[in-house]
């Protein structure tokens, strides 16, 4: 973990209520896809956690969905703004377990960290299948970006306005894959874990006090006792969790 | 040269800045970020007799200039703390630490304090009779003078080290409770613990925290904390440790003028992991700005 | 169309938003800025039997997300209020107003309430047993169930109009006091008054307010206020008026879900003179966002 | 009174710890010299009161001294920033009483409102004498500006590093004037009022809650009872005050 100042270089809406921020600055504390950052928002007491969607040595990309007051305020941030960020938080995904044909499942605001994951897996020569779930066509984002990485992409929408109609679970052919990675709303993750016969890991969300392990605000129950989403997580093995 | 040293119950601190319990874990996360030996001391996570898994999540909610927590005293239990955490602390911090203790009965407090009192690294016992986040927990002890005094008296019987009672601000008359603890033998008082607060989730229309209420901390509570430190300082002879929203060197000075011998920094650590270090670094500048050469000399200066 | 109407002790309000006592004067300053008839009502400046010049200045201090005041109930006295201010209010506001009353003895309260009860424009009496800014004043009545109940009982004897008791948050158990007031005949409860706080002036090293302590208000106290409204709503059958840090339409909804029948806006008026109007204007949008068609239906919805 | 949004057009240091802000926007609610505004500072709960130093139909000038956290934050405000301002507060000075040779006395941060006052008096053909008091040479500002208005200017410094050494009272030749206007620290105003045999008026400072008469936070005792500095003041006749 490292406290860094990032400058907002690009900020645009990419789907309904969904924005992309490209930020420049020190990313040296990022080591795994699936790690996250805690962004300090002027006028708000607690920092906001966001997964790193992608990064290089010069900066990182975040994608956020407008959910409450903080993310609403973020939409007004302008190019050139400096953001105080705790970077390199959490464990991230375990690339070593992927097998040859990993399945990546993302729902809504859970899609961003899968992009970096997919990129690294593809670079390792894996053939990733990406299932992206949204409520409706207007919310879909990053389909093209995943395709550009060379992944097979299946889009699902709840209302059927695009791609497969229904839940991501309806579109997951677990039997064709050896391992899965998932990030999204809790009900989606629970459903996936109970349906999937294959091993896999999921990235959890929890309201956080600190984001770096100090406050015990974000504990989730695991087979070995409570663990911190921000420190031992956000990625947990399917088998470790006690829902 | 300015002098930042203070003496707390006979133990010399290089400066009055301590990290507050529950916001600094057992120091490990912070020691990875900076050398925590720059601190006067720190109070480790509230420790109970048995291990506790804490409350269901969400445990945290945001408020204007502050936060609510309902962690519920998640901790590995006193034995693990002694076996695993204290040796860990020994590697990163070489001054006495403050052992924060919670309980659900007088005998709980006595057991845990007795065990921790024997640990070399422990400088003080900070007995939390004011945790609002456990049902039937410490809070009930801290809201009545008689029960706060009882815990104090019993714990004092088994401890050689200074016993500091951590008081609840959720009371009509904190002075009465402070005096009762002093009368029962307390060597010092810590105040304040969190104010009882609440938030709702407008989408679900239910309490945001499944525990319903949570403890309010952060800058929002600073004026309440300062008032209580001022009132209690005036009424007792034992040292007072001030806390509640402290986030800057100026806040430390304000707390000390109100009567604090040492000052704890809590929530600020969570939003700025370097908060304690930054405050310590900034103290000489702030002291110079307000013509202070020795911090010890300003304790209670506002009276 | 959304329905913002609520009924408070039998009086219909076009919406639950009222300006809080002490932050809206007698309405004149605001009426010059906007038509205050958009409000549900307002509670006028705390009125005492005799005229009061208030405390020495400074009476105001800033705090994180809030402020302290030690105005000390400056007001022209009940007779002048009736002779001069009420006719003034008649020109700018055509619904019933809330008469906020303070006193230093039970008979003070009774006298003032009896006089104001007879004024046509007065819809409710809001009896402030919780002002922290006068020595030997209302605060002492509001921190004990027995004295709060006594004031209630005596005032009720002389009033035909609904009597609302305004409670202090500076207590261990607000529910106990709320129930005592209900038992003594209160028609409603207002909460919260200000939290007792303090700031120092680092340059002089003395309390910033010559009165030493002041009442903390503003967004900082919202979570404490919400918690108390929630607890009291659960314990009593009479309506609760919620206040403390309310600054937005969302805050109004949160207070109502916690149990408030009406919601007062205080400090927000001082930093944004249009606060009440803005909140009223914004209510339909916020209601739509959270699928609320009638505000009256969400009262206590979080329980 | 009017709530307006002003844009920061120019911002520079003009003396030790002293800054000038030129702001553009609606000034229609200003009617008298000596009126003030309440500026909302991002991150601070209460607004900050500042006297209007000068204005025209397009904007206004404020001069502030760094005193605490808020004014310290203000020094970092950049051109283009939008400020939420309550404009046109308080009564202001009474021009009609000036006589032919008014005396204007300002101390430190009390100097700004005298500039507009002096301008209006000069435009009315009055011959103003301006006595400006500061601690030291480095703090002196606006001497030239007052001279440019055609006023006689006497600068005093406590340490004698510039002009007359000592208090402004040492430099006031009351006998040559029929009326005085003063603004500055309370001890200075008190001393002036007790020394001056001529009539005059003083502008007071008080910590404010609202700035427009709603909270009774700023009351000062007068012969006719407590009056609000923000509403009946900030300018009070010497005779009205009960110190
Ligand atoms: C590890 C992690 C990674 C995340 N990555 C992303 C991402 O890449 N893109 C994205 O759009 N969102 C992501 N989220 C969710 C994101 O943090 C929340 O949407 C955001 O904090 C909401 O802030 P707000 O101010 O708009 O909401 P408000 O409800 O106004 O916020 C109030 C408080 O609650 C917290 N909070 C509210 N909702 C959530 C939530 N779902 N998860 C955690 N905290 C919450 C806020 O952080 C804040 O402290 C992630 C969350 C976690 C824990
Ligand atoms: C009518 C009026 C006109 C003024 N005009 C000017 C001016 O033209 N130029 C100038 O430099 N200063 C002026 N002042 C003083 C100025 O308002 C304070 O210096 C400023 O508010 C300090 O803010 P701060 O955040 O730096 O101080 P802090 O001490 O951090 O502020 C804390 C709180 O105290 C208040 N406060 C602190 N000092 C004062 C004070 N002396 N007077 C009033 N409120 C105070 C602040 O407004 C704030 O609410 C004026 C004051 C008044 C009442
Ligand atoms: C997340 C969190 C956990 C806490 N846990 C404890 C605890 O275990 N024991 C204790 O005595 N106080 C605990 N506290 C209270 C703090 O030590 C401190 O008294 C309080 O937060 C006020 O200080 P602050 O405003 O600086 O945070 C906790 C506070 C927070 C925010
Ligand atoms: C300047 C000021 C003066 C007040 N005067 C009174 C009063 O006269 N009577 C009263 O019952 N409450 C008084 N209050 C308390 C408010 O009515 C309200 O209960 C409290 O401020 C909490 O609401 P808020 O946070 O929205 O301000 C006063 C508050 C302020 C800030
Ligand atoms: S958020 Fe503090 S421990 Fe995870
Ligand atoms: S500051 Fe509120 S009345 Fe003057």
């Amino acid at each position: 973990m490292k406290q860094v100042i990032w400058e907002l270089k690009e900020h645009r809406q990419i789907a309904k209520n969904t924005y992309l921020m490209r930020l420049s600055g020190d990313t040296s504390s990022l080591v795994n896809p699936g790690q996250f950052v805690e962004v300090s928002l002027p006028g708000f007491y607690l920092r906001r956690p966001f997964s790193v969607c992608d990064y290089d040595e010069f900066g990182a990309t975040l994608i956020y969905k407008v959910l409450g007051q903080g993310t609403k305020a973020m939409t007004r941030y302008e190019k050139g703004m400096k953001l105080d960020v705790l970077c390199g938080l959490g464990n991230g995904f375990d690339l070593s377990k992927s097998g040859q044909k990993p399945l990546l499942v993302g729902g809504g605001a859970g899609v961003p960290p899968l992009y970096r994951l997919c990129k690294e897996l593809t670079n390792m020569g894996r053939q990733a299948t990406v299932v992206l779930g949204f409520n409706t066509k207007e919310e879909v984002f990053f389909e093209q970006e995943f395709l550009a990485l060379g992944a097979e992409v299946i889009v699902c929408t709840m209302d059927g306005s695009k791609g497969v109609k229904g839940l991501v679970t309806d579109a997951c052919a677990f039997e064709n894959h050896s391992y899965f990675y998932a990030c999204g709303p809790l009900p989606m993750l629970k459903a996936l874990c109970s349906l999937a016969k294959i091993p896999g890991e999921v990235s959890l969300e929890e309201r956080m006090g600190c984001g770096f392990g100090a406050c015990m605000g974000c504990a989730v129950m695991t087979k070995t006792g409570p663990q911190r989403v921000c420190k031992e997580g956000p990625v947990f093995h399917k088998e470790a969790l006690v829902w | 040269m300015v002098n930042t040293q203070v003496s707390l119950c006979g133990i010399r601190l290089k400066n009055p800045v301590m990290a507050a319990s529950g916001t600094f874990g057992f120091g490990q996360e912070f020691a990875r970020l900076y050398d925590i030996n720059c601190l006067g001391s720190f109070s480790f996570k509230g420790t109970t007799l048995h291990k506790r898994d804490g409350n269901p999540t969400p445990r945290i909610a945001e408020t204007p200039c502050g936060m609510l927590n309902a962690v519920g005293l998640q901790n590995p239990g006193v034995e693990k703390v002694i076996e695993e955490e204290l040796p860990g602390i020994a590697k990163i911090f070489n001054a006495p630490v403050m052992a924060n203790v919670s309980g659900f009965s007088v005998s709980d407090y006595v057991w845990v304090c007795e065990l921790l009192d024997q640990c070399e690294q422990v400088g003080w016992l900070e007995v939390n009779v004011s945790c609002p986040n456990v049902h039937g927990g410490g809070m009930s002890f801290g809201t009545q003078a008689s029960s706060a005094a009882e815990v104090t008296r019993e714990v004092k019987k088994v401890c050689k080290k200074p016993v500091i009672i951590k008081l609840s601000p959720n009371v009509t008359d904190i002075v009465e409770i402070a005096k009762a603890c002093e009368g029962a033998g307390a060597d010092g008082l810590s105040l304040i613990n969190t104010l009882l607060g609440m938030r709702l989730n407008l989408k679900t229309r239910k309490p945001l925290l499944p525990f319903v209420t949570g403890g309010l901390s952060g800058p929002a509570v600073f004026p309440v904390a300062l008032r209580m430190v001022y009132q209690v300082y005036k009424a007792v002879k034992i040292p007072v440790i001030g806390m509640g929203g402290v986030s800057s060197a100026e806040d430390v000075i304000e707390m000390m003028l109100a009567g604090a011998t040492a000052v704890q920094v809590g929530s600020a650590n969570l939003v700025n992991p370097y908060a304690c270090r930054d405050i310590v670094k900034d103290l000489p500048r702030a002291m110079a700005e307000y013509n202070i050469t020795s911090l010890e000399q300003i304790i209670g200066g506002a009276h």
Side-chain angles (χ1 to χ4, degrees), chain A residues 48-51 63-65 67-71 109 205-207:
Chain A
R48 299 296 189 269
F50 296 103
S51 300
I63 290 176
Y64 68 92
K65 215 174 147 151
L67 196 95
Q69 298 306 313
T71 44
E205 274 187 16
E206 199 47 78
R207 288 187 185 235

Side-chain angles (χ1 to χ4, degrees), chain A residues 39-96:
Chain A
V39 184
S40 174
L41 311 183
F44 293 88
Y45 192 63
L46 296 176
R47 290 169 183 266
R48 299 296 189 269
F50 296 103
S51 300
V52 176
C53 172
D54 197 11
Y55 68 99
D56 60 23
E57 55 187 312
F58 306 111
T61 302
L62 306 180
I63 290 176
Y64 68 92
K65 215 174 147 151
V66 176
L67 196 95
Q69 298 306 313
T71 44
K72 197 179 286 176
M74 284 169 70
T75 62
R76 293 187 292 268
Y77 293 179
E78 286 173 17
K79 237 167 71 176
M81 180 169 174
K82 303 266 201 308
L83 290 168
D84 169 350
V85 174
L86 297 182
C87 183
L89 302 172
N91 57 355
F93 294 109
D94 186 347
L95 292 166
S96 69

Side-chain angles (χ1 to χ4, degrees), chain B residues 75-95:
Chain B
N75 81 92
V78 66
E79 278 183 37
K80 268 248 170 82
V81 166
I82 291 174
E83 276 164 34
E84 291 174 15
E85 299 296 348
L86 282 178
I89 292 176
K91 296 195 185 110
I92 55 172
F93 191 66
N94 51 35

Side-chain angles (χ1 to χ4, degrees), chain A residues 92-108:
Chain A
F93 294 109
D94 186 347
L95 292 166
S96 69
K97 298 246 174 71
S98 76
Q100 192 49 34
K101 294 185 67 188
L103 176 67
L104 280 58
V105 190

Side-chain angles (χ1 to χ4, degrees), chain B residues 125-166:
Chain B
L125 294 136
E126 186 179 46
V127 181
N128 175 8
V129 292
S130 47
C131 181
N133 297 325
V134 287
H135 289 299
M139 176 85 151
S140 38
F141 292 100
T143 53
Q144 282 185 29
S146 55
S147 51
E150 193 195 343
V151 173
T152 310
R153 201 175 306 114
E154 298 304 317
V155 165
K156 273 301 287 181
K157 287 186 189 158
V158 299
C159 290
K160 296 195 195 65
K161 296 189 171 152
V163 171
I164 291 163
I165 308 294
K166 184 158 175 181

Side-chain angles (χ1 to χ4, degrees), chain A residues 177-191:
Chain A
H177 305 279
S178 45
Y179 198 78
F180 75 91
Y181 299 95
C183 185
L186 205 60
M188 175 191 116
L189 299 180
K190 280 193 187 175

